Amino acid sequence: MDEAAIADVNGYIHGSVVGYYQKYFQRKSWSDAAEQIIHKVNPRLVNDFWIDYPELPSRSNFLEIFWKIQSFLSQGRGRWYADPDLAPGLFGRVITTHLVYALAGDANSKDKYPWDDVQVVGEFFDNVSSIYVEGLSNLLHHARETFTRQPMRLFLHGFNVLGCLMELWMFDRSGVYSCEVFDIRKEPERFITVIIGYSLMGDAELGLMQLVKADEIGKYISLKGDHEATEASLYLEEQPIVVPEGIVGECTTCYRARRVDSNRWDFIVKLKWRLAESRPEEKLLRVLRERNISGVVQFFGQQDLASTKNLRQSLQFGACREFVSGTIQMPNAERWEVSEQGRSDTTGFMKRGIIDRTIETESNSNQDHESIKNRTFSCVVVFPPGRPLLMYKTVVELLEGFRDAMKGHRSLYQDAKILHQDVSIQNIIITEPENGSGPKGMMIDLDSAMELAVGPNRTGELLGTKPFMAIGLLKGKMHTYRHDLESFLYVFLWVAVCNRSPELPETSRLRQWSLGSWWQLAQKKTRDMRKEHFARITAEFAAEFHGLKGLVENLREVLFPVRNGMLWIETDETAEAIDRLYDGMIDAFDTAIASHRHML
């Protein structure tokens, strides 16, 4: 069971969406071809059941029919892969078959999926000991893998077959949704249409977007800069420097890019699915350019590409749904029953699919629930480019990057009157200024930023990246500059413990900063910031950071003075206090940089 995959979409689920089959499988350019194959397969019904579909379908029976249908197709654009899996389940061994459809790949490969080219994911579960949520978990796992390898795709088709019943799925950045469940034995023509349809769909129908083009030089995007008369061709680095892991949300992807006549990376191309109602990042970037603010990335150009509202057009959704904590697996209700006539009886087993496995979320209004609010897929290009924090070359470079990013944050707050509000490991980059002049670290991503004169986008909104959020924020306080500075400390601790790995060690205390309610997280961080517990975190530092335990202790003392025997986590908004806190943290980094340079 992939619990992370389930958690990713929980609360962002819709079932039995009205109009699903009509939107994706009827009146298509390939409908006539599908109809011809239906006639060739010639599914015969006896007593309203397709007699060629097994009464108790097994993996081999299902695949025999599946491959037979595919054999009538002469113009498919890719191939299907089927990979068996025999895994532990609630009833002993659960037999499942993973199916994926890809546009390319090694024709001789039977056990590896070409994830860069996968277009459809599917699951078939053995009919005797099937578990609905385990099948869905597998499906979500493969969907996440596909989106990770293809971060620019708009959506992804999927299906889940449990014995004789089929549920079609769609995955996009606003959530996941399914059609009504149908019985393959009673509607064989629908089954054949779906399977053939996947193989005949065009790029747009499969969720592909032709944003990236290619020529003899490489892959590029075309975008008109704010102050340019014509579109510029920006050539992308082969691999992105930031890749999203989940399905639902902003799912930011970043590439470094350059002009055709440049021998160095000039830009960062940022692709993300922002909430359409949120304040666009480019608006604040233009403000920074007008006010000549340094230490923060500069704006080149922007383009909106798609929206989930348009992608879901003509569909009718009910309430958002979620799994009930602790009741995801329900073995007693999920056995197949065999009737006296010998046919498997699915009544009550999967009659309504996901609807029978979930409950409505607290908000039943489509307008009020964030999961189905419109998301806009936008491309924002900024400069200069940089490297993620974990790609630092030396400790001194990392320290300089932190110090200069903090200076940029100060300028953003004090000069531009903008509060960043999401200081995280993803939103600080290491830069390489030409001729050695200029900041060596910068803040990026102003999607959560707030103009002080305007105030928050939504009252009471909690912004930030969970493991790096300040204690006061977790306790419901209004966001302040001090909370962002506290986040700088948490990011540095994270880098020091990770040891250049994207993941924390399994035993790290910092993992607990992502688990639990907001109040529980506040309690955990308050405990860890006390002097006697703080040493347990610094004990986890990688070897090259052992000499920086004094730095983080200085930062801790600046941020958390003890008053009346308690850590003080409040914010002093006076001008003197603001300067004192910024100066104290920047000076601590300057001292550490000088010390490390002396050691070299």
Side-chain angles (χ1 to χ4, degrees), residues 140-158:
L140 290 168
H141 176 82
H142 288 119
R144 281 162 62 95
E145 183 70 29
T146 304
F147 273 111
T148 297
R149 296 288 289 272
Q150 304 176 49
M152 283 183 278
R153 74 177 303 126
L154 302 179
F155 56 82
L156 177 70
H157 285 276

Side-chain angles (χ1 to χ4, degrees), residues 385-399:
R387 286 176 279 120
L389 279 179
L390 291 175
M391 293 179 64
Y392 62 91
K393 296 176 181 177
T394 66
V395 171
V396 169
E397 180 187 61
L398 178 69
L399 293 171

Side-chain angles (χ1 to χ4, degrees), residues 412-414 416-419 450-456 479:
L412 187 67
Y413 180 68
Q414 293 187 314
K417 308 304 179 186
I418 293 174
L419 182 61
M450 174 183 69
E451 289 187 86
L452 300 182
V454 176
H479 210 129

Side-chain angles (χ1 to χ4, degrees), residues 16 19-20 41 59 142 151 169 185 194 222 237-238 285 299 318 401-402 427 431 467 505 513 519 523 541 554 568:
S16 297
Y20 185 107
V41 175
R59 174 184 181 273
H142 288 119
W169 283 93
R185 300 167 302 168
V194 168
S222 298
E237 194 172 14
E238 186 65 26
L285 288 171
F299 181 66
F402 263 94
N427 291 340
T431 56
W513 291 1
W519 182 257
Q523 296 300 104
F541 277 15
N554 288 341
W568 195 72

Side-chain angles (χ1 to χ4, degrees), residues 543-551 596:
E544 63 182 336
F545 288 91
H546 284 176
L548 293 171
K549 292 181 180 180
L551 165 64
H596 267 68

